[in-house]
Amino acid sequence: MRPISVLLADDQPMIRTGFRYILEAEPDIEVVGEAADGREAVEETRRLSPDVVLMDIRMPGTDGVEATRSIVDGGLRSRVIILTTFDLDQHVVDALRAGASSFLVKDGPADSLVSAIRTVAAGEAVLAPRVTRRLLERFAGMPSEAASSVPPRLDVLTGREVDVLRTLARGLSNAEIAAELGIGETTVKTHVAHILEKFHLRDRVQAVILAYDSGLVTPRPAHRPGPS
């Protein structure tokens, strides 16, 4: 099998060198190019068509969010992993909305970087359920609740697919969804695949965003204590 091709996009040469050193030690990963800003990252993605783009979120000129949006909206097959200094800040949320499949903190362990590249290259999103829950808290700003009716935008989904999407929006894993809905884990995977296909979504991260943006899951009014 051919190695996983990776493009490194970061405005700091030493950071790119460090990532290259880590990745080139892996027999199944090949660094095919580098970019020093978002504009160059988009151009090199078009030219090289890498499997994965490691994208720094803060770069001069075109930042990582806009570059990610250009790659996804341009129909390019490359998947984006966002690199950030700060864990799950608003810029990361914006990048995930733009179509990134994962985010990693720059000072994380090397094996997490390698594992994320392999997972994303295989077509999966890298967000553990606990991270998804934190992500959803950022989207809504408060706990969430399911809407009482199915929004018109989701009419193409079957009843069971709606159930699966609701549980996805709560950050549940496939095993947890299967247990809650009383169905097999393989069936859950099939329903998730159908949801992604019907809305042309890249991964379950975008499915979670769909659930919130469509109104299937809505913020619950924040509790305000009464006067003492």
Side-chain angles (χ1 to χ4, degrees), residues 113-217:
L113 172 66
V114 173
S115 175
I117 288 173
R118 288 175 178 144
T119 302
V120 168
E124 299 293 332
V126 185
L127 283 181
R130 62 179 178 80
V131 177
T132 305
R133 293 186 183 105
R134 287 166 49 217
L135 170 64
L136 299 184
E137 290 169 2
R138 285 299 183 112
F139 274 126
M142 58 192 73
S144 61
E145 61 184 7
S148 58
S149 60
V150 178
R153 183 181 175 188
L154 303 181
D155 281 348
V156 296
L157 298 180
T158 67
R160 183 55 87 187
E161 288 167 354
V162 170
D163 293 339
V164 169
L165 184 56
R166 280 196 176 107
T167 53
L168 272 179
R170 289 164 46 207
L172 271 62
S173 67
N174 285 346
E176 291 170 329
I177 294 171
E180 178 159 323
L181 298 182
I183 58 179
E185 192 169 345
T186 301
T187 303
V188 172
K189 292 178 181 178
T190 300
H191 286 313
V192 172
H194 288 166
I195 294 168
L196 300 184
E197 181 180 359
K198 288 180 178 181
F199 289 94
H200 308 289
L201 305 174
R202 285 194 164 198
D203 50 51
R204 63 197 293 139
V205 176
Q206 271 62 61
V208 168
I209 295 171
L210 170 68
Y212 275 81
D213 287 347
S214 67
L216 181 66
V217 178

